[in-house]
Each structure stands twice: as structure tokens, then as C-alpha cells.
Amino acid sequence: MILALLALVSSVNSAAFQRSTVEADHNWKLVFPRVDVRDFVQSTATLTRDLNALTISFWVKDTKGNTNSGYLYYTNSKGENLLGVYRHESYLDLYVAGKHVHCSGCISTDSSWKHIVVTWSGTGASNGMGAFWVNGKKVLEFSNLAKSLVVPSHQGPVYLGKLNSNSYTFRGELAYLNLYAVNISSPEQVRELSRTSTDDPGAVMSWGDFVQGARGEVALVQEFDIYSASYIHLECRATNMTVSLTRSAFPHLIPQRASLIQTDCAARSNSTHVFITTNLDGCGTKVTYTNTTATYTNYIVPDVYWHPANASRDTPHAIINRGTLHVEDTSLKFHCTYPLLSHDTIPAYAVKTSNFEVDGAGRREIEFKIELYHDANYTRQLKQHEYPLRADSGERVYVKAVVHGDNSRMAVWVDRCVATPNPDPEAVTKHDLIVNGCPSDETVKYHNSTVKVEQRFSFQSFRFNSVPSAVVYLHCYIDVCRADNEESRCSKGLKLC
């Protein structure tokens, strides 16, 4: 968090300690909180050259329920529309020099961020031609719009958030709008524009010409999602994760001072990027589990010499606060999420009446498996070619439910186990062995294990009367918990039965 003070005059104490931060200079968005004609943005600069070609690039997030949104307009002293971009329901519209074209069904009405590019030429071989692009896709190409005309310069400011009509007042968020005096035409150029350029020297009007022009209740707020996607790259590997930051996008970051939460895990850098890598179980990385995922989280601490106190004087529901910042407030959080296979199906056994052939299963980095053993001591695991087990009716079947992979901080508890005569766990014919973490079959017995990432139990084999010679499939599901959480389902086990 930073306090941004817009002022005509600022001074910097050059002798002050220069703190390393992951703040950016221009990652601003404009938030329009309501539908009100008094809420708009007026550029602090004016168009300084006539445009016989143009490209408008910007990011927008409409508040859900908005049907009409004025994004940009530029008029002369008579109020005539010289340039305008707006939305009517799923239509995108462009006005150039009093002429108009619309793109039907080109934009969704949900409240997600969208990158919009609108182009036009009024001269040369592409006279009157242009296109609408949404999220990198060309959604309409048009011709014969305002041929041989120009958008004149020096007519006054450019406005954002409304048109010269009260019915097109914008509610939502706008960011990174840039106006160029060329008609771009390739997907590569559009992709490059989607990066959050805020002070593009190639733009005739850039985002910096708008951020200080808010009127009414329009708020200037830091924007992180688009900026992060443009300049931060996260690579999630099987055993580690690496973050790289574009140095030019984070001009206040001093690589020699950056680290992870565990400060001996330092950053590396070259002339263009800052890199930092951590093993999934190192550098203070924290892990959280669901039944389907394991998420590993850490922070880039930008300055190992500056430590905000983990305390606060914040007053709940107050308008302002002067509470001290937490480390997390000044650091860059990143996380990798990995699939966790929390259920498994095996062709467990067949009462000795017939043969059955089984296929192998693929492995994931973090994977839950059901394994069968020949004995109660769990010393002789069935090999792959021994499945399905040939069992006598009533013979005890020894099962181990275990998580393989990066499991040092996991605990497991079998939540449900059901047997069916086919691979479908929702088959009509089925028999419950364990339900809600408790035995449902009277022959189920639990066996002790020395590690928390596995659970052992056994039951007496049986056959289904409707298909007595069929292989019996086991389908088991687990709860995944932190191993050190004594209040978890995994720790309490049979006490809850």
C-alpha cells in the first residue's frame, strides 16, 4: 500500500535512505463508482496533431448491469462528436469525424477486464478502413468510414467515462488508455499493446495524460492484475517455483536487497530481469491443501533492510488509519497450485472364479493412491501385475491409502470408500465400506501407521450377488489436512465416529 499524493510541487530529500520496493510508477486505474454525469475524466493535455489514422488501446471493466457505457469522446466547440468509443449492451461503437460504425455482439456484458483496440485510417490504401479487437481477437473489420477525413487537433480535452449524452455514463474501471496516430493491423502489434504501457513515447496521448484529470467521485487507484500479467512471470515446476520481474516495470526494486520471506533466499538479476527461485518446501514457503489441490505461497520481500512491524493501530470501520504496515502489505505475493489426486479407483480383487486384465494408471506430482498388501504387517505390497487380487470369500483385504509426492506436511484421513462391480463409483450396485470417515461395513478394521500421509485398514472380501464373478472395484476419497493441525479431521480420526 502507498499513499499517492497528486500535487503541483513535490520535493525529494536526496539524502534520505532509498528503500527498495516493488511499487510501480504508473500502475493506475480510474474507478467510476456510480452512474453520474458528474463523474468523468478530462485529459490534462490536448491533441496536438491532426489524425488521419489512429489506434485507441485501453483496458475496461464494466460494472455488471451497465448497458450503456461511454468510454472516450472528443468534441469541437460546437459539441460535434469528432471521436468517440462507447458500448451499448453487446455493441461496440466508433465515431470518427461525425461518421459512425458499430460492431454487433462484439463485447460481453460481464464484469471482467477486457483489452479493447479500435483502429481507423482516413488516407492511403487503407482509406476508411479499420477494425475492432477484443482480448487480442479481431471481432470486426470495416471499410468506408470517414474516408479522406481527419480528426482535427487543438479542439479541447479528451474525456473518459461519458459521451456528450447523459445516457452513456460509465460505471466501472478504466486503465492504460493510449491514443496513437497510426492504424495497427497485426495480432502481434495488438498483443504488444495489451502490455500496460503508460508512458509510451509513440502515443500522441498516453495514460499519463488522464490519471490526474478525475472529476466527481472518480477515484485513482493502484491496479495490479493487468500490470502483474504484463511484467511478472511465474513458472511452477515439479519441485520448485521461479518468479521473474521485468526491471523496467519496477524501477524502485534494488535486486541486491530483495529476498523471499526467509531472507537468505536472495534474488538474482541481469540487465533486464530479477529472478528468484524457491523449492516447494523451502524459503518459508507455506502450503495449503484442499481435497483437489496443494497451493504453495511465498512473498518477494523487496528490501531485507526494511522491516515493517507486524502490528497495527487501525481502527475498525474508520475512514483513515495510520497503522503500521505488515510485511505482506509491502511485498509481492506469489503462489503455485498443483493438482492433488484425492481419490483413486483400483480393480481390487476378485473372488476366485475368473480372470481380469488391468491397465496402468498415470502419475501426478502429488497423487493419492490406493495400494493393497498381502499381510497385516504391510510388508508385501501387491505388484502391478498382481491386480486384481485373487481372494477367497471372506478373506481379509489389506488396504493402504497414501499420498505420494511432496507430502511432508500432509496428513490424510479416508473420508469414503465404496465398492462396485465396475469402474463407476456411482454405479447402482455398490457397497459402502467407509462413510464420512467412519466404518460402514462391520468387518472394517484400522491398522496403525507410523506416518500421517497414509492410512491403513482392512475388510473381509465379498462378492456381489448380481455378478458374483465380477472384479470388485474400490473407490476411495480422502480428506487432506496440515500435519501439524491437531483440530483437523485427520488428527481427530475415529474420535468423531
Side-chain angles (χ1 to χ4, degrees):
M1 186 182 83
I2 67 170
L3 281 176
L5 301 179
L6 299 181
L8 295 177
V9 180
S10 65
S11 62
V12 176
N13 182 358
S14 59
F17 174 73
Q18 182 183 4
R19 182 161 64 91
S20 175
T21 73
V22 283
E23 295 167 1
D25 285 339
H26 305 289
N27 62 322
W28 301 113
K29 63 181 178 181
L30 290 161
V31 178
F32 298 72
R34 60 183 182 174
V35 176
D36 194 301
V37 294
R38 295 169 293 180
D39 294 351
F40 61 92
V41 174
Q42 178 178 309
S43 67
T44 53
T46 188
L47 190 61
T48 58
R49 57 178 289 185
D50 293 347
L51 300 180
N52 55 19
L54 62 84
T55 294
I56 304 170
S57 170
F58 62 98
W59 285 86
V60 64
K61 182 196 289 188
D62 281 277
T63 299
K64 191 172 183 179
N66 261 21
T67 55
N68 300 323
S69 295
Y71 298 142
L72 172 149
Y73 89 101
Y74 172 60
T75 66
N76 59 20
S77 58
K78 299 177 181 179
E80 296 170 335
N81 202 338
L82 303 176
L83 180 62
V85 180
Y86 67 95
R87 178 180 71 86
H88 172 64
E89 296 181 347
S90 62
Y91 288 71
L92 271 176
D93 288 76
L94 170 66
Y95 267 97
V96 176
K99 308 298 180 181
H100 167 259
V101 63
H102 69 262
C103 180
S104 175
C106 289
I107 186 169
S108 64
T109 57
D110 59 53
S111 56
S112 62
W113 277 111
K114 300 172 185 67
H115 180 230
I116 296 176
V117 174
V118 183
T119 68
W120 166 81
S121 287
T123 186
S126 56
N127 193 355
M129 298 174 63
F132 291 88
W133 302 73
V134 177
N135 293 336
K137 180 181 178 182
K138 186 188 290 186
V139 291
L140 178 70
E141 194 167 25
F142 58 83
S143 59
N144 298 315
L145 175 67
K147 295 180 68 173
S148 303
L149 296 178
V150 299
V151 177
S153 60
H154 299 95
Q155 298 295 307
V158 176
Y159 294 93
L160 306 182
K162 67 173 185 176
L163 291 181
N164 55 347
S165 166
N166 292 343
S167 60
Y168 281 87
T169 304
F170 175 62
R171 183 185 178 200
E173 300 176 11
L174 276 169
Y176 311 122
L177 186 143
N178 291 281
L179 173 60
Y180 302 87
V182 294
N183 179 350
I184 67 102
S185 57
S186 72
E188 292 75 21
Q189 291 172 308
V190 171
R191 192 177 306 116
E192 187 61 28
L193 290 179
S194 70
R195 292 170 61 86
T196 55
S197 179
T198 56
D199 277 325
D200 191 340
V204 292
M205 295 191 74
S206 71
W207 186 231
D209 294 321
F210 296 97
V211 294
Q212 297 190 40
R215 302 290 188 272
E217 293 194 6
V218 177
L220 184 62
V221 179
Q222 289 186 94
E223 190 285 315
F224 297 104
D225 295 338
I226 304 167
Y227 203 88
S228 297
S230 296
Y231 299 117
I232 302 174
H233 176 69
L234 176 61
E235 187 172 358
C236 300
R237 304 187 190 91
T239 59
N240 59 54
M241 46 189 178
T242 296
V243 186
S244 63
L245 291 79
T246 303
R247 293 187 68 166
S248 61
F250 299 93
H252 307 293
L253 179 63
I254 303 172
Q256 296 84 352
R257 295 188 192 168
S259 75
L260 296 177
I261 283 290
Q262 189 173 310
T263 56
D264 58 350
C265 298
R268 299 174 293 110
S269 65
N270 58 26
S271 61
T272 59
H273 289 83
V274 177
F275 308 90
I276 197 158
T277 298
T278 174
N279 290 333
L280 297 183
D281 59 353
C283 297
T285 301
K286 295 182 179 180
V287 60
T288 56
Y289 300 107
T290 70
N291 279 350
T292 57
T293 61
T295 299
Y296 296 82
T297 302
N298 209 317
Y299 292 83
I300 293 180
V301 179
D303 198 328
V304 295
Y305 301 119
W306 188 82
H307 297 284
N310 282 308
S312 179
R313 303 196 312 271
D314 296 1
T315 302
H317 312 300
I319 295 175
I320 69 168
N321 75 73
R322 293 187 175 92
T324 53
L325 296 171
H326 297 250
V327 171
E328 292 82 357
D329 295 324
T330 60
S331 302
L332 190 154
K333 181 179 181 181
F334 64 95
H335 57 82
C336 286
T337 299
Y338 296 82
L340 173 67
L341 185 62
S342 60
H343 67 275
D344 194 18
T345 294
I346 61 170
Y349 68 89
V351 175
K352 293 179 179 177
T353 57
S354 64
N355 293 318
F356 189 82
E357 192 172 326
V358 63
D359 293 326
R363 294 289 301 273
R364 296 184 180 180
E365 295 301 330
I366 305 172
E367 184 177 37
F368 168 59
K369 297 295 290 181
I370 307 169
E371 300 169 353
L372 298 188
Y373 284 75
H374 288 286
D375 61 291
N377 294 323
Y378 287 82
T379 57
R380 295 175 52 227
Q381 182 182 345
L382 265 71
K383 296 180 172 60
Q384 184 70 31
H385 70 271
E386 294 182 285
Y387 285 92
L389 174 70
R390 299 297 191 86
D392 291 316
S393 183
E395 181 181 344
R396 191 154 286 275
V397 178
Y398 296 94
V399 184
K400 181 166 78 173
V402 61
V403 171
H404 294 289
D406 181 42
N407 57 17
S408 59
R409 287 174 280 182
M410 292 184 190
V412 299
W413 187 261
V414 175
D415 179 68
R416 182 186 176 216
C417 259
V418 60
T420 65
N422 56 51
D424 182 6
E426 303 301 326
V428 175
T429 301
K430 59 187 175 185
H431 176 68
D432 289 320
L433 295 169
I434 297 172
V435 176
N436 294 328
C438 300
S440 180
D441 182 291
E442 62 183 7
T443 70
V444 170
K445 291 182 179 179
Y446 289 90
H447 305 274
N448 291 332
S449 174
T450 58
V451 294
K452 293 185 177 182
V453 293
E454 66 178 42
Q455 187 179 9
R456 300 174 178 181
F457 66 93
S458 65
F459 64 95
Q460 289 182 350
S461 65
F462 59 89
R463 61 187 181 275
F464 289 100
N465 290 328
S466 58
V467 277
S469 63
V471 168
V472 175
Y473 285 79
L474 281 185
H475 315 270
C476 292
Y477 304 78
I478 59 168
D479 284 331
V480 180
C481 316
R482 287 188 62 89
D484 58 0
N485 184 359
E486 297 300 325
E487 297 301 315
S488 69
R489 180 69 180 90
C490 304
S491 296
K492 292 186 177 180
L494 291 173
K495 297 176 183 178
L496 300 181
C497 295

